[in-house]
Amino acid sequence: MSATLALVFVVLVSGAEVNDQSTTALTQAAREVLGANAAIEVRTYAEPQDDSELVRSAPVEGAIAEVVWQDPQHRHAWLRCYVSSEGRLIAREIAFEPDDAPRERGRMLGFALASLVPRTVSANSASGQHTPQEIAQPAPVLTEPPTRVEVPVVAPLAPPTAHRYYAAIDVVAAGATGLAGGLGAGIDGRWFFHPALGLRLGFAVRRSEIESARVFSDLKYAALGLGFRFAGDDASRFTLGGRADFLLLAHEVGRFPAQSVATERRTSLMAGADLLLEGTLSLSTNAALIGAAGLEVPFADDLELADDQTIAELPPLRAIAELGIRARF
């Protein structure tokens, strides 16, 4: 009788999802099916592997599987599994309902992957000496089978891409130097139509004061521009990029009144531009911290009150910094 070796099962997940509830539930469900003797190892990837990379990474006695979520909402998962003893590569796509909990989704994936993996590996399999009785059989039908749609795909397969196209909303606190700098807040929406590029539409308000001249400035602006990314991707925990925007600025300038003098106010419209570096730190699949710093340029020289009196000169450049949170959809 041939000895039985412990099965080695390697599961590849995105680095941003290694601590996700669905990943934990996946490994627990796979262990329930494969048994306590199975050695289940979770590894991370920065980019989905192609077929040859997946095969090279597979353990000699066991299997390797890769999980790639196709959308930020975790509605569709792409699974690929290579079984070394059988030399076969299998792929499946599993779809979930919007109200499925992350843990339930992970268990479904774990059951689906475990059903593709032999539960035992013959001691003679390494030498290629298989008999019909020695070849490991697939796991039996599960008492809790995946209930979602599974679409088999014939190998070889092109690696899927993760979260390429999505929308996001950023809410930030902002600060800038100089007149019309000050402190404020902003909100913007983005659509990432390319893995490294996204359109941006934003709005912000800031207030600054010149106490010596008893002058204040309220700045409101709309921004239309392009966001870009040059380090990291949607599967990465940290990304680095930037943005460039065309600005439409509304400067409302006023003077604090004396006891018997009404407040003077004047609003000036002008154009401008900005260029900022941005970094994001993923907190979950759908949320991230975002920080930015750079320069803002107003296309005007000075600000005036209603009597056409120049009360301040605008700096040619304003340093600006932002910190906030991003929600991805």
Side-chain angles (χ1 to χ4, degrees):
M1 179 182 294
S2 59
T4 300
L5 302 178
L7 170 70
V8 179
F9 183 31
V10 177
V11 181
L12 302 176
V13 299
S14 163
E17 293 153 356
V18 64
N19 296 319
D20 193 80
Q21 291 184 39
S22 61
T23 301
T24 302
L26 184 157
T27 56
Q28 292 173 347
R31 191 175 301 281
E32 290 176 19
V33 176
L34 298 177
N37 290 331
I40 300 177
E41 178 183 350
V42 177
R43 301 177 187 172
T44 62
Y45 62 78
E47 292 283 352
Q49 297 189 0
D50 60 28
D51 294 348
S52 59
E53 291 174 332
L54 198 66
V55 172
R56 286 196 299 268
S57 302
V60 175
E61 298 291 351
I64 188 169
E66 181 181 67
V67 179
V68 179
W69 291 102
Q70 294 295 90
D71 59 314
Q73 295 80 19
H74 282 193
R75 292 279 306 280
H76 297 85
W78 182 269
L79 310 180
R80 291 190 303 158
C81 182
Y82 178 75
V83 182
S84 299
S85 61
E86 299 180 4
R88 60 190 177 105
L89 183 64
I90 304 170
R92 286 182 178 164
E93 182 181 3
I94 298 183
F96 296 96
E97 298 297 332
D99 56 351
D100 287 340
R103 183 170 181 80
E104 179 185 350
R105 299 181 191 198
R107 286 181 62 80
M108 293 294 180
L109 296 182
F111 288 144
L113 288 175
S115 69
L116 305 176
V117 179
R119 302 179 74 180
T120 60
V121 179
S122 167
N124 293 328
S125 62
S127 62
Q129 301 175 3
H130 297 291
T131 67
Q133 294 77 22
E134 291 175 339
I135 296 179
Q137 298 299 316
V141 176
L142 302 170
T143 58
E144 299 181 61
T147 58
R148 307 298 178 239
V149 178
E150 296 186 15
V151 183
V153 182
V154 179
L157 305 165
T161 55
H163 305 178
R164 280 184 179 269
Y165 314 106
Y166 64 88
I169 293 178
D170 298 341
V171 179
V172 300
T177 60
L179 183 64
L183 299 177
I187 184 170
D188 72 67
R190 304 194 190 199
W191 176 54
F192 290 86
F193 60 89
H194 182 274
L197 295 172
L199 291 175
R200 176 180 181 270
L201 177 63
F203 304 90
V205 295
R206 295 199 305 266
R207 165 167 278 220
S208 63
E209 299 177 0
I210 304 176
E211 294 185 3
S212 60
R214 300 182 59 80
V215 169
F216 66 87
S217 170
D218 287 336
L219 172 67
K220 305 176 182 68
Y221 71 78
L224 179 64
L226 191 67
F228 53 90
R229 182 169 53 208
F230 51 79
D233 57 24
D234 296 319
S236 304
R237 186 165 179 78
F238 180 77
T239 64
L240 189 62
R243 74 172 194 251
D245 300 300
F246 174 79
L247 308 177
L248 179 60
L249 305 153
H251 283 283
E252 183 181 21
V253 184
R255 179 178 288 122
F256 294 114
Q259 292 183 352
S260 60
V261 179
T263 304
E264 298 176 89
R265 292 175 180 268
R266 180 168 183 169
T267 299
S268 300
L269 295 178
M270 63 187 70
D274 66 18
L275 179 64
L276 288 83
L277 288 177
E278 295 181 330
T280 62
L281 177 64
S282 291
L283 303 177
S284 67
T285 303
N286 296 323
L289 290 176
I290 181 168
L295 297 174
E296 184 179 271
V297 183
F299 299 157
D301 298 328
D302 51 44
L303 295 177
E304 299 176 343
L305 284 178
D307 56 4
D308 293 330
Q309 176 188 2
T310 297
I311 60 171
E313 293 185 357
L314 287 173
L317 295 174
R318 287 191 288 252
I320 183 172
E322 297 176 348
L323 181 64
I325 192 164
R326 169 172 293 173
R328 293 186 282 240
F329 304 95

